[in-house]
Amino acid sequence: MNTKFDWDAVWDRKGSSESADAIEISGFESVVIDTAAACAELCRMMDIQDTESALEIGCGAGLLARHMKCTFVGTDRSPFMVKKAIEVSHLSAVVCDADYLIFRDKSFDHVYAFGVFHYFPDYEYANRCIAEMKRVARKGIAVLDVPLETHDSNHLLFEKDFFPGWDFGPPLYQREHKRYNAYLRL
Ligand SMILES: C[S@@+](CC[C@H](N)C(=O)[O-])C[C@H]1O[C@@H](n2cnc3c(N)ncnc32)[C@H](O)[C@@H]1O
């Protein structure tokens, strides 16, 4: 019997709510986050220029992406979240699993996931996602908001040695549990 927690049901429920608040829909209602500043820091860290392109894995309602100035496409496994990203944050977004990206090799300059890897079922899935991110990216990939510890036992935690040879940076916002960002220049 599969006893894994059903995160898909959580995101489908949040995505199908009446809310038009991206912070609430994307699940950041219990933290203080300056989303414009976080997006600017993300672009600085990955060196994303306005003239370039970026793909987000697990874009949710587009909390950070709505501040992106570059050409942007979001992906999410939940069709309800994709609809919210389009309607609430006015983004281009498609339904897509993180371990099977529906794009050609080297389609985007930058590929990142923010606040997503701890919802994956296991580390094999995370490695398949990283392989896909590398395949569709030209310049760099980032896994952001990775938890080292958590309040929720259903989260998948990642030690930094899961990302060998990557660079690490501090989280894009403050919260009580330790998190970090991982970046790989290609
Ligand atoms: C905390 S929200 C992410 C917030 C989002 N990055 C933002 O800035 O608004 C987590 C999202 O990851 C998506 N997700 C979780 N597992 C996924 C998977 N295996 N493939 C694609 N998306 C996934 C969920 O549907 C949910 O929308």
Side-chain angles (χ1 to χ4, degrees):
M1 190 178 89
N2 183 2
T3 55
K4 283 195 174 132
F5 187 76
D6 186 2
W7 282 110
D8 287 349
V10 173
W11 298 118
D12 281 352
R13 179 173 47 74
K14 284 181 112 37
S16 53
S17 74
E18 293 293 312
S19 177
D21 177 355
I23 290 184
E24 186 187 346
I25 302 163
S26 283
F28 287 80
E29 59 272 44
S30 63
V31 298
V32 176
I33 178 167
D34 178 339
T35 56
C39 182
E41 177 55 19
L42 156 60
C43 291
R44 191 205 61 74
M45 193 190 116
M46 294 189 75
D47 193 22
I48 300 176
Q49 304 296 319
D50 295 356
T51 51
E52 294 182 320
S53 59
L55 177 75
E56 179 170 5
I57 313 300
C59 64
L63 189 63
L64 299 194
R66 61 195 163 143
H67 303 290
M68 279 284 177
K69 299 191 179 87
C70 68
T71 301
F72 176 88
V73 177
T75 66
D76 202 286
R77 185 180 179 141
S78 166
F80 301 98
M81 281 297 194
V82 165
K83 196 161 181 279
K84 287 290 190 196
I86 295 167
E87 290 181 355
V88 172
S89 296
H90 311 293
L91 297 169
S92 297
V94 292
V95 178
C96 178
D97 272 334
D99 71 336
Y100 193 83
L101 300 179
I102 54 171
F103 302 97
R104 292 193 174 130
D105 296 358
K106 302 190 186 305
S107 302
F108 296 89
D109 293 310
H110 309 274
V111 180
Y112 71 90
F114 168 70
V116 176
F117 269 49
H118 46 296
Y119 302 112
F120 286 169
D122 52 48
Y123 297 109
E124 289 73 27
Y125 188 100
N127 274 322
R128 286 202 303 278
C129 175
I130 289 170
E132 281 288 84
M133 293 170 80
K134 284 180 180 168
R135 182 182 65 75
V136 301
R138 284 189 285 268
K139 298 187 174 176
I141 64 174
V143 181
L144 309 163
D145 202 26
V146 188
L148 278 165
E149 54 185 39
T150 180
H151 59 285
D152 190 330
S153 60
N154 295 307
H155 284 160
L156 191 65
L157 302 182
F158 292 85
E159 296 296 331
K160 288 184 177 174
D161 61 10
F162 187 80
F163 302 96
W166 295 47
D167 295 325
F168 299 103
L172 299 173
Y173 66 100
Q174 293 306 315
R175 69 184 308 157
E176 69 281 23
H177 297 105
K178 288 193 191 124
R179 296 192 174 207
Y180 62 91
N181 298 322
Y183 174 68
L184 182 68
R185 185 178 294 279
L186 300 177

